[in-house]
Amino acid sequence: MAGSASDPAKFLPLTPAVFHILLALADGERHGYSIMQEVEARTENRVRLGPGTLYGSIKRMLADRLIEECEARPDPSLDDERRRYYRLTRFGRHVAVAEAERLENLVGAARAKKLLRA
């Protein structure tokens, strides 16, 4: 995903995996397995991110500064210390909003063409 850190539109369109990960992190930090579970639950098991897709996407998203790894860790007695937690960056949130707006415009066009009900 090549783009400029100053212009969210340069990252668009996002891959479905990246958009699902951004959506999963929109409510707060999560570890990888929790991201996978959130995506499955939100899509009623229609979208399943495998580990390769998830962690490959996370690696690129970290490099693009859409997300960051959290330094603070939950209480080790309540969590596996090997887990890595991620959260949206401010720029990542801007990119997610830009993609949501892009998709909203596409849905509007589909409604105008009577492909969807108004």
Side-chain angles (χ1 to χ4, degrees), residues 23-99:
L23 285 175
L25 295 173
D27 295 332
E29 59 191 52
R30 291 179 180 272
H31 56 79
Y33 184 65
S34 177
I35 293 170
M36 290 168 59
Q37 290 177 313
E38 149 75 19
V39 170
E40 287 180 20
R42 187 172 13 83
T43 65
E44 297 175 341
N45 291 316
R46 288 187 302 259
V47 176
R48 301 182 110 185
L49 298 177
T53 299
L54 175 70
Y55 291 105
S57 296
I58 284 174
K59 182 178 178 182
R60 286 187 301 279
M61 294 168 75
L62 286 165
D64 288 336
R65 302 191 191 286
L66 300 178
I67 63 172
E68 61 191 5
E69 191 170 331
C70 304
E71 291 180 23
R73 308 277 307 164
D75 182 344
S77 66
L78 303 175
D79 193 40
D80 185 334
E81 64 190 37
R82 296 170 294 177
R83 285 185 175 153
R84 302 284 185 255
Y85 284 78
Y86 306 97
R87 67 175 161 236
L88 284 181
T89 60
R90 182 178 301 223
F91 181 65
R93 184 169 294 279
H94 290 304
V95 170
V97 167
E99 179 69 349

